[in-house]
Amino acid sequence: MFSASQEKVEQGLNFQKEVFETMKSNFSNVVDTRDYFSCLNPNASDVFLNLKESQNGDIMVGPLDQDTFHLECITSSSETIFPETKLRNFSGNNHFYIFRLVEDGSTHVVHSKVWNSYISKCPKVVINNRKYRKFKSRNISGLRSKSSIQQLINLIGEKHD
């Protein structure tokens, strides 16, 4: 399995916490996906929780039904890999990737349909028998169909007001 450096892991978790706190300050119903499914099934295996997170993202916002917004937080350095399982599992009308570009600290929101279409064309790489796609973070900032966190907050608010 690919093993990120401790620094990258911490950057990712800090970014996820930042997005969680931003959503929490704007909406009353915000949950950490792993915590949510752990509470529903206290004996759930890591494999089960990993699958649920792969399907539902890191954070869920809104009523926990078909109108839930699913947010996947990703920190991206200049060259990054993206798991093939995420490409297959994370999609839907209310599924969004939120990227933090490490080089300049910018944040971009990309709908899952847009990102999954883009990343499916990127080169494949196998690391420790797991399939990934390689991409450059500068390509995220070049996407025309990206938005900001504030635009995502406005969209969620429109759907849940």
Side-chain angles (χ1 to χ4, degrees):
M1 181 184 212
F2 174 73
S3 179
S5 71
Q6 186 63 31
E7 179 184 10
K8 283 187 176 188
V9 170
E10 287 176 16
Q11 281 177 339
L13 291 174
N14 288 338
F15 177 54
Q16 182 178 326
K17 183 178 178 183
E18 179 185 322
V19 172
F20 182 86
E21 292 302 324
T22 298
M23 292 298 142
K24 196 83 168 144
S25 69
N26 284 279
F27 303 103
S28 58
N29 196 359
V30 178
V31 296
D32 176 281
T33 301
R34 248 182 133 71
D35 292 347
Y36 175 74
F37 285 103
S38 290
C39 286
L40 288 180
N41 184 354
N43 297 322
S45 69
D46 281 340
V47 171
F48 173 80
L49 295 174
N50 291 344
L51 175 62
K52 288 303 185 185
E53 191 172 2
S54 179
Q55 295 168 333
N56 294 286
D58 299 311
I59 301 166
M60 297 187 295
V61 180
L64 299 176
D65 58 18
Q66 72 275 5
D67 294 324
T68 303
F69 278 76
H70 302 270
L71 312 178
E72 176 66 23
C73 303
I74 300 171
T75 54
S76 174
S77 55
S78 59
E79 290 197 13
T80 302
I81 57 172
F82 185 84
E84 190 80 18
T85 54
K86 184 64 72 177
L87 170 63
R88 285 192 313 269
N89 293 339
F90 191 73
S91 66
N93 289 334
N94 293 340
H95 287 64
F96 294 85
Y97 293 102
I98 304 175
F99 293 95
R100 165 70 48 85
L101 306 188
V102 174
E103 300 93 338
D104 63 7
S106 63
T107 301
H108 304 282
V109 177
V110 181
H111 193 280
S112 66
K113 289 179 184 176
V114 171
W115 180 251
N116 290 346
S117 175
Y118 171 80
I119 198 69
S120 69
K121 297 172 181 87
C122 291
K124 293 180 183 180
V125 61
V126 177
I127 300 172
N128 297 328
N129 294 322
R130 293 197 60 198
K131 295 177 183 175
Y132 296 89
R133 300 288 179 139
K134 293 191 311 184
F135 70 97
K136 296 182 185 310
S137 64
R138 70 173 184 248
N139 299 110
I140 296 165
S141 52
L143 288 172
R144 286 182 294 212
S145 296
K146 66 183 181 306
S147 59
S148 68
I149 289 275
Q150 188 56 55
Q151 289 170 310
L152 178 62
I153 289 168
N154 294 345
L155 175 66
I156 295 171
E158 289 171 9
K159 299 273 182 153
H160 295 294
D161 280 346

